Amino acid sequence: MQTVLIVEDSLTDLEILWGYLSKENFEIITAKNGKEALEKIERQLPDLIVLDIILPGPNGYELCRRLKNDPATRQVPIVMCSSKGENVDFYWGLKQGADAYLTKPVTKAEFTYTVKQLIKASCNQVVKDDG
């Protein structure tokens, strides 16, 4: 079972995203801020991370940049999922290393498709790197 860490400080948004993934047979870990996310990643490396941008502590951009610059976590796909939907937000998220950028409110179909595709691609990359 693949593990997804959702980093989201809005309880409503967290429940929506959790609900989408729980029906898809993922193990879900949650964090309310960047500091808590880093602690949870240290304990258990997830297969994918969903990051809000506006977070207490390190914000989503800072957290993404930090994770993508760390050899221990750089291979973990990151989906930025934020209400910030301007072109500059997309650009900045992808520039920080995010593998995908979704704007809230996101549909279940778009969200689950993105998560599944990134996990699948990540698993294929690990197989190629090992083989």
Side-chain angles (χ1 to χ4, degrees), residues 1-6 18 21-22 24-29 44 46-48:
M1 181 180 294
Q2 279 115 355
T3 304
V4 176
L5 170 63
I6 302 173
W18 186 89
L21 293 181
S22 66
E24 299 295 327
N25 207 27
F26 287 103
E27 178 183 346
I28 303 159
I29 305 168
Q44 179 184 358
D47 296 294
L48 182 134

Side-chain angles (χ1 to χ4, degrees), residues 61-116:
Y61 292 136
E62 294 167 321
L63 191 54
C64 182
R65 184 172 53 248
R66 181 172 174 176
L67 294 170
K68 288 299 185 173
N69 285 325
D70 184 338
T73 55
R74 79 170 45 138
Q75 80 286 359
V76 177
I78 295 176
V79 177
M80 294 230 149
C81 190
S82 177
S83 57
K84 295 174 67 69
E86 299 296 320
N87 286 340
V88 69
D89 301 313
F90 282 84
Y91 170 79
W92 195 244
L94 297 176
K95 182 132 175 91
Q96 302 314 303
D99 298 279
Y101 192 107
L102 302 174
T103 304
K104 296 177 199 168
V106 64
T107 66
K108 178 182 182 202
E110 181 181 27
F111 184 70
T112 56
Y113 176 81
T114 301
V115 167
K116 287 177 180 179

